[in-house]
Amino acid sequence: MPNEIRCGLLLVVVLTTGVAAAGDALAPAAIPLSRGRLFEEQGGAALFASVCAGCHQPDASGASGAAAYPALAENGNVSSADYMERLLLNGQRGMPPVGQMMSDQQIADVMNYVRTHFGNAYGEGVSPEDVGAARRQMGSSP
Amino acid sequence: MRRRDLLLLIGATAGATAMYQAMTRLGFAAESPYRGPITLEGDPKGASVIILGAGLAGMTAAYELARAGYKVQILEYNTRPGGRNWTIRGGDTYTELGGAAQQCLFDDGLYLNPGPWRIPYHHHAILDYCRRFGVALEPFIQLNHNAYLHATEAFGGRPQRIREIKADFEGAIAELLAKATRKGALDEAVSKEDQEILLEALRAQGGLDKDFRYKAGDDAADFRGYARDPGGGLAAAPSNGEPIGLHDLLTSRLWRGLQNFALYDFQTTMFQPVGGMGRIGEAFARQIPKVIRYGAKVTAIQQDDHGVAVVFEDLHGGGSVEEATADWCVCALPLSILSQIDVNVSAPMKAAIDAVPYASVVKTGLQFRRRFWEEDEQIFGGISYTNLPIRQISYPSTGFNAAGKGVLLGGYTWGGPNSYELTAMSPADRIKVALDCGAQIHPQYASEFETGISVAWHRVPFTLGCAGEWTDETRRQHYGNLCQIDGRIVLAGEHASYIPAWQEGAILSALDAITRLHKRILASR
């Protein structure tokens, strides 16, 4: 959108210590706010909490309305690194291409986090190099 | 030669009329395709159409098809009409995906438009429906010279009046260009006669003095205003402020905010419905009584040679599964929803349905116990822009200069990491961010805040996202396939338009879809 101003520093970090709305008992302890066009969170846990959890929910149980965000918990699809890379970099259906705002390392980290948490046990086998290769193949840029 | 260069050449050599004609041919400056109410001529002979989604696209289709003699019904997930045309008012409750419920505690007459909130003057179709359906409009103030441009690292984080940034930026550029002209730097590009006119224009438009300088004085003050405004009686003389220097203006990057007032979509005059954008959806629904079935969650759309069957859950009836049938179907569901529904359309259309991600957008409304932006800062409507995660603060375009409370749009974050980070927060935390950020521009926030409400569009149960985000590449690959009539099904909505995320796109898409569908139906007899 043309009406965004994309620059600058910001100093806001919100702690969920105030009044909580119903239903957010599982909200993460803190969600930082990045300063530019790329996510600044580092590590799979932080990226999951700040990006994925908005739709897939903090416990990865998914959410359902007129259509649904699938649970990532106990989800066999996350065993396929190719599938996850394609969704993160290209988007599909309800999934926006959030990987376009992450580095190869960040994508690998958040993939490995999901693949080894929430009842998934597919190993931390994804490397930044794998993600970089997928990104080049899809013609996507960070 | 680029297209724009060609136009400049035509403009320079053949005059304005030739340039306008050339622009029209090349696709610039074309008027809206809307040509007034459509007429679907010919007898549909009792044919029926089922319409999915009671947003503006679906209700436009239902209204016009019913007028043409079709039997129409709409299935709608929500318990109200309008879809993204939506106003949250005091007393409303909103539960987002994830389960967080918010009760809106705004006072009577105060509201937040979580989705569309302003209508450009060139969106002829929605303006025409407002006229026909009796929806009262009032001006939406987009540009207020007295609102602010703000960046955390510019001018020590102090917000700057748009008036001063705009006047000083344009004045400094005018002075520079005048200097270059008088030094002969433009001799090869501009004739001597035109240089004289150019200098005259720069002085008049830029607020330059008789020596073509932009500096503190009456000429600059005519544009940038005064350090002390002129008054009456003794000691009433104004004093002129010192313009901000070019270096400080450039490096502040605040000039970036000025395009929000120049772009075609945001030029004056803009409008809003009196009482909230949702008044339009309500007015549409009144035109099609007993057509909308609320609380219907569509789960499958199947067509064959004879008709279309739509399977849906009755959310009011404990989730019982029902089926509705018709001869034809106009599907006006967002692609984020439709892509997850079992629908038997061609592979190219299915690929198109799956290919369009939806924008991440967050809006937060804040009620304050007094209109301090008007009382303390003389800001009547308009928008302040900032690089903080809230991106903008919009002041109400109604109820001016009255005592009492008011609701600000305290944040409108479209895309980028912040929109996702805010979406991942609880509503209470989004409101806290809006307060923390806004207080850096208006310190009164701390003492005047009462209550807020926040909508993150990826958590909205009926859309799972804000609006279709096309790229040049996805348009090239999929747009044509998305807009085809596929057997007995045609799609409509802002996603099937070149005006994505605007209500005009939804309406124009619906009018085009049903016009083609009607022709197909008459031809199929």
Side-chain angles (χ1 to χ4, degrees), chain B residues 350-398:
Chain B
K350 180 60 181 154
I353 290 168
D354 288 351
V356 186
Y358 270 49
S360 172
V361 177
V362 178
K363 272 189 179 178
T364 300
L366 305 171
Q367 176 173 304
F368 294 92
R369 65 183 98 253
R370 69 183 182 92
R371 299 167 73 105
F372 57 81
W373 52 93
E374 297 183 351
E375 294 173 10
D376 303 351
E377 296 165 274
Q378 295 74 52
I379 296 172
F380 296 92
I383 304 172
S384 290
Y385 288 91
T386 172
N387 67 335
L388 289 166
I390 55 171
R391 297 295 188 272
Q392 46 189 291
I393 296 172
S394 175
Y395 312 94
S397 289
T398 193

Side-chain angles (χ1 to χ4, degrees), chain B residues 313-366:
Chain B
E313 291 173 21
D314 177 8
L315 301 177
H316 296 323
S320 63
V321 175
E322 295 186 35
E323 188 180 280
T325 57
D327 300 324
W328 306 88
C329 174
V330 175
C331 179
L333 301 177
L335 298 179
S336 46
I337 305 298
L338 178 60
S339 60
Q340 299 190 43
I341 290 172
D342 179 18
V343 52
N344 66 336
V345 291
S346 67
M349 181 181 266
K350 180 60 181 154
I353 290 168
D354 288 351
V356 186
Y358 270 49
S360 172
V361 177
V362 178
K363 272 189 179 178
T364 300
L366 305 171

Side-chain angles (χ1 to χ4, degrees), chain A residues 1-24 27-28 31-41 48-51 53-55 57-58 63-70 90-98 101, chain B residues 77 97-101 118 150-153 253 256-257 259-260 263 266 297-298 336-337 339-340 350 354-358 385-389 391-392 412 414-418 420-429 432-433 436-437 440 458-459 461-462 464-465:
Chain A
M1 278 293 278
N3 60 348
E4 272 180 76
I5 304 172
R6 301 175 192 276
C7 65
L9 298 164
L10 66 100
L11 306 163
V12 183
V13 174
V14 175
L15 300 170
T16 56
T17 51
V19 182
D24 71 338
I31 291 176
L33 287 157
S34 302
R35 290 164 293 184
R37 295 172 178 226
L38 303 175
F39 286 106
E40 292 178 1
E41 291 84 350
F48 182 87
S50 288
V51 190
C55 296
Q57 303 304 307
S64 180
Y69 296 120
N90 267 357
Q92 190 183 26
R93 302 190 188 118
M95 171 81 182
V98 289
M101 293 176 282
Chain B
Y77 175 84
L97 291 177
R118 50 191 167 179
H150 171 263
T152 38
E153 74 282 24
R253 303 294 198 283
R256 289 174 172 178
Q259 71 162 239
N260 295 296
L263 295 168
F266 302 129
K297 175 179 171 173
V298 174
S336 46
I337 305 298
S339 60
Q340 299 190 43
K350 180 60 181 154
D354 288 351
V356 186
Y358 270 49
Y385 288 91
T386 172
N387 67 335
L388 289 166
R391 297 295 188 272
Q392 46 189 291
Y412 178 19
W414 182 296
N418 290 158
Y420 290 93
E421 290 157 346
L422 288 164
T423 298
M425 293 178 191
S426 68
D429 285 345
K432 188 170 185 316
V433 169
D436 288 348
C437 292
Q440 297 181 46
H458 266 101
R459 285 188 185 249
F462 58 90
L464 277 63

Side-chain angles (χ1 to χ4, degrees), chain A residues 24 29 33 56 73 79 81 101 105 115 119-120 130:
Chain A
D24 71 338
L33 287 157
H56 295 286
S79 67
M101 293 176 282
Q105 181 71 56
R115 287 157 57 88
N120 299 317
D130 298 337

Side-chain angles (χ1 to χ4, degrees), chain A residues 41-104:
Chain A
E41 291 84 350
Q42 299 299 328
L47 284 161
F48 182 87
S50 288
V51 190
C52 317
C55 296
H56 295 286
Q57 303 304 307
D59 62 355
S61 62
S64 180
Y69 296 120
L72 300 181
E74 300 177 30
N75 185 333
N77 285 338
V78 307
S79 67
S80 166
D82 289 348
Y83 178 73
M84 290 182 82
E85 284 159 354
R86 199 166 62 243
L87 280 182
L88 282 160
L89 291 167
N90 267 357
Q92 190 183 26
R93 302 190 188 118
M95 171 81 182
V98 289
Q100 292 179 4
M101 293 176 282
M102 296 180 190
S103 67
D104 295 345

Side-chain angles (χ1 to χ4, degrees), chain B residues 86-217:
Chain B
W86 179 26
T87 297
I88 299 181
R89 304 185 177 89
D92 290 349
T93 299
Y94 165 59
T95 303
E96 64 180 27
L97 291 177
Q102 301 176 76
Q103 193 178 6
C104 182
L105 301 175
F106 292 163
D107 279 33
D108 277 354
L110 302 180
Y111 61 82
L112 169 72
N113 292 321
W117 57 312
R118 50 191 167 179
I119 301 172
Y121 66 86
H122 47 82
H123 283 188
H124 302 311
I126 190 164
L127 288 173
D128 192 37
Y129 279 104
C130 286
R131 188 160 45 230
R132 288 154 73 188
F133 296 168
V135 178
L137 301 179
E138 60 193 354
F140 174 93
I141 313 294
Q142 172 73 23
L143 167 58
N144 176 349
H145 285 81
N146 212 38
Y148 296 120
L149 297 173
H150 171 263
T152 38
E153 74 282 24
F155 304 106
R158 288 186 310 280
Q160 306 293 305
R161 300 285 188 179
I162 290 168
R163 185 186 65 250
E164 294 176 358
I165 295 296
K166 187 172 187 297
D168 292 353
F169 186 66
E170 290 169 1
I173 289 172
E175 180 184 294
L176 261 186
L177 191 51
K179 202 174 288 177
T181 306
R182 297 172 85 206
K183 280 184 176 169
L186 303 186
D187 284 355
E188 288 185 15
V190 184
S191 74
K192 276 289 171 200
E193 292 75 18
D194 284 357
Q195 286 185 33
E196 289 304 313
I197 303 171
L198 176 62
L199 285 170
E200 189 187 326
L202 291 171
R203 181 151 59 191
Q205 294 296 106
L208 308 186
D209 69 8
K210 63 179 172 35
D211 301 318
F212 300 98
R213 291 172 307 178
Y214 183 74
K215 63 192 219 358

